[in-house]
Amino acid sequence: MQGRISSPPDGGYGWVVVVAAFTVMGLTVAVLKTFGLFFVEIQQHFDELASTTSWITSITIAMFHLGAPVASSLSVRYTHRIVVIIGGLLAFSGMTLGSLGFNTLWMYTTMGFLQGSMQLNICVCGALMRPLKDSCVPEAKSFEAQRSLCKVVPKTEKKHASIITQKTFNWMLVKRVEFMLYAIFGILAAMNFFIPPLFLVPLSYSLRIDESWTASLLSALAITDFMSRLLCGWYANLHLTRTIHLLTMAVVLISTSLVVLPLANNYLSLAIFTGFYGFFFGATVSIHITVVADVVGMSDFDSALGLFMLIRSTGGFLGPALAGLIVYMAGNYSMGFYMAGATLILSTVFLVIIDQLQQKKDQENQTDIKSKQQILFFPSLHFLGQRTGKGQEQVMGV
């Protein structure tokens, strides 16, 4: 008889890990997205150009992505708990040093003390991420159960075999066309993900909106972002639409919202357009990692995610700085939003190509399955066809 898991293998502790991961995301990505609140003050304090100040965000985003493959490799080696704790200590150290604020060069590598003190909570979250126990499924005699990595092994077999398999980082994913096309999409998308939060507050200042209302714009963005992640994640789980189709639609809508957002001329219209942007941004973020698994499969997902983040870092590094340069040359913050919208529209081209390649591959697989089924259900006809073919060859040979 096959053993069945009647309850979660971790006893329900996985929900603690979910809360810890949620908090980590809030203390990293969410904090980074609030940098726009301080953009104008930092620019005026150091008397620098918008393009120069934008490099603070660019370098932070680049390091955020560059650390992904390193963290993936270290997590395989030393567990996620240790890696997250070390990451929290590094974030705290960098942001605490940033409170000294000597100059922009100093700010390029550090952040503020207030944010840095919050980063220590990442270490607490990391401590909660304990690994699963080695065994959680009763012994079974079936072939599939014996292949399972989570089963009880008799004492006599423990001397000769280990149930733990060592994972290695698969760098050969760069040779897969579909993955590299999706990585290019990631570069173009990362160029623009952090531009709206960076320039939203300065844009509101240019519209002479009262400073007491500007922070609420980022709050509206965050609320709609959160609601969209839940809704879109739920819908994607229903599998009513191919995930890549859903992602393409979300990217088109987010680019449209970015193009129309600068058309706002007062607080209400700006808040409405910001809400639309936040909703479509949340939809995009909630499913774009899922597409990585669809492209490479779950067996290579860990390596693919780290490698995807590494390649995508180039977009995060160049995007805000390039947008800052365009804003400086045009003398208008609206140009940053137009650049982001146009680049996102361009990124959908690669999603369409990937979808076409996947559909072609699915059709080929279905054809192979049908041919095998015909051989299985009508073996005599298949044998007769082979004999007939050989007979024709012999006649032709004569």
Side-chain angles (χ1 to χ4, degrees):
M1 294 178 60
Q2 290 186 359
R4 294 184 178 180
I5 302 177
S6 58
S7 60
D10 53 12
Y13 191 82
W15 286 107
V16 178
V17 178
V18 170
V19 175
F22 175 82
T23 306
V24 169
M25 291 298 294
L27 294 172
T28 52
V29 180
V31 170
L32 179 60
K33 289 170 66 175
T34 61
F35 181 77
L37 285 172
F38 315 104
F39 183 86
V40 176
E41 280 79 4
I42 293 176
Q43 182 181 357
Q44 294 176 349
H45 177 76
F46 294 112
D47 193 20
E48 295 286 358
L49 303 176
S51 57
T52 305
T53 309
S54 299
W55 278 109
I56 300 175
T57 300
S58 296
I59 295 175
T60 304
I61 296 172
M63 293 304 299
F64 182 81
H65 289 83
L66 287 171
V70 178
S72 297
S73 301
L74 293 177
S75 296
V76 172
R77 176 82 176 176
Y78 299 107
T79 75
H80 294 83
R81 171 185 280 180
I82 296 177
V83 174
V84 173
I85 292 176
I86 294 175
L89 292 174
L90 290 174
F92 167 75
S93 301
M95 290 189 174
T96 302
L97 291 173
S99 63
L100 301 177
F102 295 129
N103 49 47
T104 52
L105 180 60
W106 182 265
M107 294 296 294
Y108 286 161
T109 54
T110 59
M111 297 293 282
F113 175 78
L114 178 60
Q115 296 176 2
S117 62
M118 293 177 4
Q119 300 303 314
L120 280 178
N121 292 292
I122 297 178
C123 302
V124 179
C125 296
L128 295 174
M129 296 182 180
R130 71 184 187 190
L132 289 173
K133 296 181 180 179
D134 290 340
S135 60
C136 57
V137 181
E139 181 183 2
K141 295 182 180 180
S142 66
F143 176 73
E144 290 296 328
Q146 289 179 358
R147 292 178 59 189
S148 173
L149 296 179
C150 187
K151 68 177 187 293
V152 178
V153 180
K155 293 182 179 180
T156 56
E157 296 182 9
K158 289 183 178 180
K159 298 179 181 179
H160 306 287
S162 174
I163 63 173
I164 300 177
T165 58
Q166 299 294 331
K167 295 181 179 180
T168 57
F169 196 88
N170 185 9
W171 293 98
M172 294 297 101
L173 289 170
V174 296
K175 295 183 177 180
R176 299 177 61 168
V177 177
E178 294 178 13
F179 174 76
M180 291 307 300
L181 288 173
Y182 194 69
I184 296 175
F185 158 78
I187 293 174
L188 296 175
M191 287 180 64
N192 310 281
F193 276 170
F194 290 91
I195 290 177
L198 182 63
F199 293 139
L200 183 60
V201 173
L203 177 64
S204 67
Y205 289 162
S206 66
L207 296 176
R208 301 186 182 279
I209 296 176
D210 189 84
E211 293 184 10
S212 59
W213 291 96
T214 54
S216 63
L217 293 174
L218 293 178
S219 298
L221 190 155
I223 292 173
T224 53
D225 180 1
F226 176 73
M227 293 175 58
S228 177
R229 294 188 190 217
L230 295 178
L231 181 61
C232 189
W234 168 78
Y235 179 79
N237 194 49
L238 297 177
H239 302 290
L240 300 176
T241 308
R242 288 173 63 96
T243 308
I244 195 167
H245 292 170
L246 192 60
L247 178 61
T248 304
M249 182 174 61
V251 174
V252 170
L253 291 174
I254 192 177
S255 60
T256 303
S257 65
L258 286 173
V259 172
V260 301
L261 191 146
L263 302 179
N265 55 9
N266 54 47
Y267 172 79
L268 180 60
S269 58
L270 186 59
I272 293 174
F273 290 147
T274 299
F276 279 117
Y277 162 75
F279 186 86
F280 299 134
F281 175 82
T284 302
V285 173
S286 64
I287 58 177
H288 84 289
I289 294 299
T290 307
V291 178
V292 176
D294 294 339
V295 170
V296 302
M298 287 304 301
S299 59
D300 289 323
F301 176 71
D302 289 344
S303 299
L305 181 58
L307 194 57
F308 175 74
M309 296 287 282
L310 173 63
I311 298 174
R312 198 177 73 169
S313 65
T314 56
F317 180 70
L318 297 174
L322 179 60
L325 178 61
I326 293 176
V327 166
Y328 166 71
M329 295 175 62
N332 189 345
Y333 285 104
S334 299
M335 296 305 299
F337 293 90
Y338 293 143
M339 186 207 94
T343 309
L344 283 173
I345 284 291
L346 177 62
S347 69
T348 59
V349 175
F350 297 93
L351 294 179
V352 173
I353 295 175
I354 295 172
D355 180 49
Q356 294 297 318
L357 292 175
Q358 287 184 331
Q359 290 189 21
K360 182 179 179 181
K361 185 179 296 185
D362 291 341
Q363 291 176 355
E364 293 175 352
N365 292 335
Q366 290 178 359
T367 303
D368 293 340
I369 292 174
K370 288 181 180 179
S371 61
K372 290 179 180 179
Q373 288 177 344
Q374 291 177 354
I375 296 174
L376 178 64
F377 290 108
F378 305 101
S380 58
L381 294 178
H382 177 68
F383 177 75
L384 180 61
Q386 288 183 332
R387 292 298 300 265
T388 303
K390 290 181 179 179
Q392 292 178 350
E393 291 178 358
Q394 292 176 356
V395 171
M396 293 177 65
V398 175

